[in-house]
Amino acid sequence: MSETAKLTLEGKEIELPIVVGTENEKAIDISKLRGETGYITLDYGFKNTGSTSSAITFLNGEKGILRYRGYPIEQLAEKAEFLEVAYLVINGELPTKDQYDAFKKAITNHTLIHEDMRHFLKAYPRGAHPMGIAASMICSLSTFYPESQDSNRSEEERNLTIHRLLAKLPTIAAWSYKFSQRHPVVYPQNKYDYCENFMHMMFSMPTDDYTPDPVIAKALNKLLILHVDHEQNCSTATVRVVGSSQANLYASIAAGVTALWGPLHGGANQAVIEMLENIKKDGGDIDKWIAKAKDKQDPFRLMGFGHRVYKNFDPRATIIKKSADEVLEALGVDDPILDIAKKLEKIALEDEYFIKRGLYPNVDFYSGIIYRAIGIPTEMFTVMFAMGRLPGWIAQWKEMRENGEPIGRPRQVYTGENERDFIDIANR
Ligand code: CMC
């Protein structure tokens, strides 16, 4: 008989099954708890609650380990292409050469978006945040491909939606930027690979054809890989919960994009650069900003610092910090913001407040510095995160549907009024 946990409630002892994962991660299965005892578990922010079992990403926050389908992030970031990693997380295995060629071809075939969708872009006000545009445009794709609204379709039809999403998000992202600048959009070109094509759509002008720089395309490839998946974070959990209602993939991904937008999640990369700019404008007094971050009366937090699961270091941040130095050097960019970031990191890492709470730079601390160096405007940073995270969201949605998981529906402890009689408006 497998091991169980014993729980004593109101003098009665009940046994709860223990579930052990392939990396020896342990969980107590409480799914029958309410039925047998009337109790539920309470865990604000799901800090200690597993919502599913998953074979996609393994993460050990204490040891700073991150693996997609068993492959260490360090190896993937160094050796793989973004679409290769996308194939890996979505399908479970690295593609053979033939499989990879077919996958890339399928994606290249769908990079255009419907011309009518281009007209939507005209209606957004100048300076509209590209995350708002991206979420709406992704959701709108479901209306252009109405068959996708049946999420119980065949594998082949589902793959078509997956290819369309991967192909069209860079176009949507680049076009939302072009429209925000009131510049004409640039159409995708099939001669380019995924990252080059995005840079081409972002930076080519009708009068001046941009040639993607290999240093930039390589840096972008690495950044996207580092963002591909991160198990049950806020946006991914959102995608799974929305998808569990059998909402279509486009709608589920749009929900993930909106969850990512917040500054405590993917929006942190934009917030980090804005913070570093503010520190610079304010005279660069780092001690003052560290003190603000520690002051519980002050809402300011050190953006790009801290993580729900990493308490020693974020392996993605280690790779990105090194890459930031390399990219800036290769491009000959001297960004004073990088010096401020490094000083801030050094002081924070020696400070008792940050040490005690296990607060370290996360993936977003240095990513914005690379995005800036390669010419991506600050408001686009979180869209870049979304482009990287897209394969992970798709893989998680697919896994949840293939496992036939039930609709996500947490419980609550009610703390409102007890029953009372309605009072007529004249007597209130
Ligand atoms: N600056 C100052 N204090 C902090 C910070 C920070 N960045 N992060 C956490 N703390 C403190 C917090 O005040 C609390 O202190 P105390 O125990 O005295 O009340 C303690 O550390 C624990 O924080 P928490 O908010 O309970 O931790 P959490 O796991 O709920 O939040 C977090 C994790 C990432 C939301 C948080 O660290 C944070 O707000 N960081 C800044 C935003 C950020 O960089 N987000 C990007 C995360 S990585 C990208 C992604 O995958 O989303």
Side-chain angles (χ1 to χ4, degrees), residues 303-316:
M303 299 313 286
F305 254 75
H307 200 276
R308 171 60 62 78
V309 286
Y310 292 123
K311 299 300 173 196
N312 276 325
F313 69 98
D314 179 340
R316 304 166 301 173

PDB file of all heavy atoms in Angstrom, residues 303-316:
ATOM      1  N   MET A 303      11.791  46.447  -8.403  1.00  0.00           N
ATOM      2  CA  MET A 303      11.250  45.648  -9.507  1.00  0.00           C
ATOM      3  C   MET A 303      12.357  44.774 -10.091  1.00  0.00           C
ATOM      4  O   MET A 303      13.517  45.175 -10.148  1.00  0.00           O
ATOM      5  CB  MET A 303      10.631  46.550 -10.582  1.00  0.00           C
ATOM      6  CG  MET A 303       9.471  47.394 -10.072  1.00  0.00           C
ATOM      7  SD  MET A 303       8.270  46.458  -9.086  1.00  0.00           S
ATOM      8  CE  MET A 303       7.428  45.510 -10.331  1.00  0.00           C
ATOM      9  N   GLY A 304      11.978  43.567 -10.508  1.00  0.00           N
ATOM     10  CA  GLY A 304      12.973  42.624 -11.024  1.00  0.00           C
ATOM     11  C   GLY A 304      13.679  41.872  -9.912  1.00  0.00           C
ATOM     12  O   GLY A 304      14.640  41.143 -10.161  1.00  0.00           O
ATOM     13  N   PHE A 305      13.206  42.068  -8.683  1.00  0.00           N
ATOM     14  CA  PHE A 305      13.783  41.359  -7.539  1.00  0.00           C
ATOM     15  C   PHE A 305      12.720  40.496  -6.886  1.00  0.00           C
ATOM     16  O   PHE A 305      11.583  40.924  -6.717  1.00  0.00           O
ATOM     17  CB  PHE A 305      14.309  42.355  -6.499  1.00  0.00           C
ATOM     18  CG  PHE A 305      15.807  42.418  -6.490  1.00  0.00           C
ATOM     19  CD1 PHE A 305      16.474  43.071  -7.510  1.00  0.00           C
ATOM     20  CD2 PHE A 305      16.554  41.808  -5.487  1.00  0.00           C
ATOM     21  CE1 PHE A 305      17.859  43.134  -7.526  1.00  0.00           C
ATOM     22  CE2 PHE A 305      17.938  41.861  -5.497  1.00  0.00           C
ATOM     23  CZ  PHE A 305      18.595  42.519  -6.521  1.00  0.00           C
ATOM     24  N   GLY A 306      13.122  39.291  -6.476  1.00  0.00           N
ATOM     25  CA  GLY A 306      12.209  38.424  -5.750  1.00  0.00           C
ATOM     26  C   GLY A 306      11.461  37.505  -6.693  1.00  0.00           C
ATOM     27  O   GLY A 306      11.266  37.812  -7.883  1.00  0.00           O
ATOM     28  N   HIS A 307      11.094  36.366  -6.189  1.00  0.00           N
ATOM     29  CA  HIS A 307      10.331  35.411  -6.987  1.00  0.00           C
ATOM     30  C   HIS A 307       9.569  34.497  -6.059  1.00  0.00           C
ATOM     31  O   HIS A 307      10.065  34.158  -4.979  1.00  0.00           O
ATOM     32  CB  HIS A 307      11.262  34.600  -7.898  1.00  0.00           C
ATOM     33  CG  HIS A 307      10.547  33.986  -9.041  1.00  0.00           C
ATOM     34  ND1 HIS A 307       9.889  32.788  -8.933  1.00  0.00           N
ATOM     35  CD2 HIS A 307      10.345  34.434 -10.301  1.00  0.00           C
ATOM     36  CE1 HIS A 307       9.327  32.519 -10.100  1.00  0.00           C
ATOM     37  NE2 HIS A 307       9.573  33.496 -10.938  1.00  0.00           N
ATOM     38  N   ARG A 308       8.377  34.086  -6.503  1.00  0.00           N
ATOM     39  CA  ARG A 308       7.574  33.192  -5.676  1.00  0.00           C
ATOM     40  C   ARG A 308       8.292  31.858  -5.430  1.00  0.00           C
ATOM     41  O   ARG A 308       8.252  31.322  -4.329  1.00  0.00           O
ATOM     42  CB  ARG A 308       6.219  32.964  -6.349  1.00  0.00           C
ATOM     43  CG  ARG A 308       5.332  31.888  -5.720  1.00  0.00           C
ATOM     44  CD  ARG A 308       4.967  32.180  -4.267  1.00  0.00           C
ATOM     45  NE  ARG A 308       4.202  33.379  -4.085  1.00  0.00           N
ATOM     46  CZ  ARG A 308       2.880  33.509  -4.337  1.00  0.00           C
ATOM     47  NH1 ARG A 308       2.196  32.486  -4.794  1.00  0.00           N
ATOM     48  NH2 ARG A 308       2.268  34.636  -4.116  1.00  0.00           N
ATOM     49  N   VAL A 309       8.994  31.353  -6.411  1.00  0.00           N
ATOM     50  CA  VAL A 309       9.609  30.032  -6.212  1.00  0.00           C
ATOM     51  C   VAL A 309      11.133  30.043  -6.090  1.00  0.00           C
ATOM     52  O   VAL A 309      11.690  29.190  -5.402  1.00  0.00           O
ATOM     53  CB  VAL A 309       9.179  29.014  -7.305  1.00  0.00           C
ATOM     54  CG1 VAL A 309       7.751  28.569  -7.083  1.00  0.00           C
ATOM     55  CG2 VAL A 309       9.341  29.558  -8.695  1.00  0.00           C
ATOM     56  N   TYR A 310      11.826  30.974  -6.732  1.00  0.00           N
ATOM     57  CA  TYR A 310      13.297  30.988  -6.600  1.00  0.00           C
ATOM     58  C   TYR A 310      13.680  31.728  -5.331  1.00  0.00           C
ATOM     59  O   TYR A 310      13.341  32.906  -5.176  1.00  0.00           O
ATOM     60  CB  TYR A 310      13.952  31.690  -7.795  1.00  0.00           C
ATOM     61  CG  TYR A 310      13.805  30.933  -9.090  1.00  0.00           C
ATOM     62  CD1 TYR A 310      13.212  31.525 -10.190  1.00  0.00           C
ATOM     63  CD2 TYR A 310      14.265  29.627  -9.211  1.00  0.00           C
ATOM     64  CE1 TYR A 310      13.073  30.837 -11.384  1.00  0.00           C
ATOM     65  CE2 TYR A 310      14.123  28.930 -10.404  1.00  0.00           C
ATOM     66  CZ  TYR A 310      13.532  29.538 -11.474  1.00  0.00           C
ATOM     67  OH  TYR A 310      13.386  28.857 -12.649  1.00  0.00           O
ATOM     68  N   LYS A 311      14.399  31.064  -4.448  1.00  0.00           N
ATOM     69  CA  LYS A 311      14.794  31.722  -3.213  1.00  0.00           C
ATOM     70  C   LYS A 311      16.310  31.815  -3.067  1.00  0.00           C
ATOM     71  O   LYS A 311      16.813  32.320  -2.076  1.00  0.00           O
ATOM     72  CB  LYS A 311      14.177  30.995  -1.992  1.00  0.00           C
ATOM     73  CG  LYS A 311      12.653  30.995  -1.990  1.00  0.00           C
ATOM     74  CD  LYS A 311      12.043  32.414  -1.960  1.00  0.00           C
ATOM     75  CE  LYS A 311      10.533  32.410  -2.117  1.00  0.00           C
ATOM     76  NZ  LYS A 311       9.955  33.712  -2.461  1.00  0.00           N
ATOM     77  N   ASN A 312      17.070  31.285  -4.022  1.00  0.00           N
ATOM     78  CA  ASN A 312      18.533  31.406  -3.994  1.00  0.00           C
ATOM     79  C   ASN A 312      19.053  32.166  -5.208  1.00  0.00           C
ATOM     80  O   ASN A 312      19.830  33.094  -5.082  1.00  0.00           O
ATOM     81  CB  ASN A 312      19.200  30.031  -3.958  1.00  0.00           C
ATOM     82  CG  ASN A 312      19.260  29.517  -2.539  1.00  0.00           C
ATOM     83  OD1 ASN A 312      19.440  30.290  -1.616  1.00  0.00           O
ATOM     84  ND2 ASN A 312      19.086  28.233  -2.365  1.00  0.00           N
ATOM     85  N   PHE A 313      18.640  31.722  -6.367  1.00  0.00           N
ATOM     86  CA  PHE A 313      18.900  32.492  -7.578  1.00  0.00           C
ATOM     87  C   PHE A 313      17.961  32.004  -8.668  1.00  0.00           C
ATOM     88  O   PHE A 313      17.451  30.886  -8.598  1.00  0.00           O
ATOM     89  CB  PHE A 313      20.374  32.403  -8.019  1.00  0.00           C
ATOM     90  CG  PHE A 313      20.794  31.037  -8.518  1.00  0.00           C
ATOM     91  CD1 PHE A 313      20.826  30.762  -9.892  1.00  0.00           C
ATOM     92  CD2 PHE A 313      21.166  30.033  -7.640  1.00  0.00           C
ATOM     93  CE1 PHE A 313      21.221  29.519 -10.370  1.00  0.00           C
ATOM     94  CE2 PHE A 313      21.561  28.777  -8.107  1.00  0.00           C
ATOM     95  CZ  PHE A 313      21.587  28.521  -9.457  1.00  0.00           C
ATOM     96  N   ASP A 314      17.752  32.877  -9.650  1.00  0.00           N
ATOM     97  CA  ASP A 314      16.921  32.536 -10.797  1.00  0.00           C
ATOM     98  C   ASP A 314      17.888  32.173 -11.929  1.00  0.00           C
ATOM     99  O   ASP A 314      18.651  33.037 -12.380  1.00  0.00           O
ATOM    100  CB  ASP A 314      16.051  33.769 -11.142  1.00  0.00           C
ATOM    101  CG  ASP A 314      15.141  33.553 -12.356  1.00  0.00           C
ATOM    102  OD1 ASP A 314      15.428  32.642 -13.156  1.00  0.00           O
ATOM    103  OD2 ASP A 314      14.170  34.320 -12.499  1.00  0.00           O
ATOM    104  N   PRO A 315      17.921  30.907 -12.370  1.00  0.00           N
ATOM    105  CA  PRO A 315      18.925  30.518 -13.371  1.00  0.00           C
ATOM    106  C   PRO A 315      18.796  31.315 -14.667  1.00  0.00           C
ATOM    107  O   PRO A 315      19.771  31.533 -15.383  1.00  0.00           O
ATOM    108  CB  PRO A 315      18.634  29.032 -13.614  1.00  0.00           C
ATOM    109  CG  PRO A 315      17.244  28.803 -13.143  1.00  0.00           C
ATOM    110  CD  PRO A 315      17.004  29.798 -12.055  1.00  0.00           C
ATOM    111  N   ARG A 316      17.588  31.795 -14.945  1.00  0.00           N
ATOM    112  CA  ARG A 316      17.388  32.593 -16.163  1.00  0.00           C
ATOM    113  C   ARG A 316      18.107  33.938 -16.034  1.00  0.00           C
ATOM    114  O   ARG A 316      18.670  34.458 -16.991  1.00  0.00           O
ATOM    115  CB  ARG A 316      15.888  32.811 -16.410  1.00  0.00           C
ATOM    116  CG  ARG A 316      15.099  31.524 -16.504  1.00  0.00           C
ATOM    117  CD  ARG A 316      13.613  31.788 -16.416  1.00  0.00           C
ATOM    118  NE  ARG A 316      13.233  32.449 -15.167  1.00  0.00           N
ATOM    119  CZ  ARG A 316      12.011  32.909 -14.895  1.00  0.00           C
ATOM    120  NH1 ARG A 316      11.053  32.766 -15.790  1.00  0.00           N
ATOM    121  NH2 ARG A 316      11.751  33.494 -13.738  1.00  0.00           N
TER     122      ARG A 316
END
